[in-house]
Amino acid sequence: MKNTSRKATGFTLLELLVVMVIIGLLAGYVGPKYFQQIGKSEIKTAKAQIGALESALDQYRIDVGHYPTAEQGLPALIKNLGDEKNWAGPYLKKGLPNDPWGKPYVYKQPGEHGDVDLISLGKDGQPGGAAEAQDITNW
């Protein structure tokens, strides 16, 4: 007489494929949302860094009497490049940051939109753009 009862000893191939499809669908939905949030946090970081640079530039102006020239640029916040008599820096605690995409901030003095213009060219490093590639500015 044959034993017709069967013991379950593991998952069938079909069950494994169904689970893999479900995991794939979840990853396809969650993955883009996750990377979209990373892009938003980089934009927020650039805005915060521009705010900190603007505050440091204002303190420099209060001490020295004028903003750093375009030739001196943002490094004047770290080191007295023009032998300024009343320079009381460094004006940034952790040194001069690059934007979240690893590129230096653009500094214009005199600015087109104010006394000074601070610009991050975004993820693409080119003027203009949209979404993560948009320019982040202090105006």
Side-chain angles (χ1 to χ4, degrees):
M1 190 159 144
K2 256 185 173 179
N3 186 358
T4 57
S5 67
R6 213 170 151 189
K7 276 187 170 178
T9 58
F11 295 106
T12 66
L13 182 59
L14 182 60
E15 290 169 330
L16 289 174
L17 288 173
V18 168
V19 169
M20 290 177 63
V21 167
I22 291 171
I23 290 172
L25 289 171
L26 287 172
Y29 178 74
V30 172
K33 299 284 185 191
Y34 173 74
F35 289 112
Q36 185 179 28
Q37 292 303 318
I38 290 175
K40 287 180 183 177
S41 69
E42 288 171 334
I43 291 170
K44 288 179 183 177
T45 300
K47 288 179 181 179
Q49 285 179 332
I50 285 175
L53 288 171
E54 200 168 25
S55 295
L57 285 165
D58 288 340
Q59 187 61 49
Y60 179 99
R61 184 183 57 80
I62 289 168
D63 290 346
V64 176
H66 58 84
Y67 287 108
T69 64
E71 293 77 28
Q72 292 171 325
L74 294 174
L77 298 173
I78 305 300
K79 187 176 179 186
N80 189 352
L81 300 176
D83 295 322
E84 301 289 352
K85 184 174 120 183
N86 294 327
W87 191 86
Y91 295 94
L92 295 170
K93 291 180 183 178
K94 296 182 181 180
L96 189 59
N98 283 332
D99 70 11
W101 300 279
K103 298 172 187 79
Y105 285 96
V106 177
Y107 172 72
K108 294 182 181 179
Q109 197 285 324
E112 298 170 15
H113 302 277
D115 292 330
V116 295
D117 289 352
L118 292 169
I119 306 163
S120 166
L121 297 175
K123 187 174 185 176
D124 65 352
Q126 303 295 321
E132 290 180 38
Q134 73 182 348
D135 295 349
I136 297 121
T137 64
N138 66 327
W139 63 87

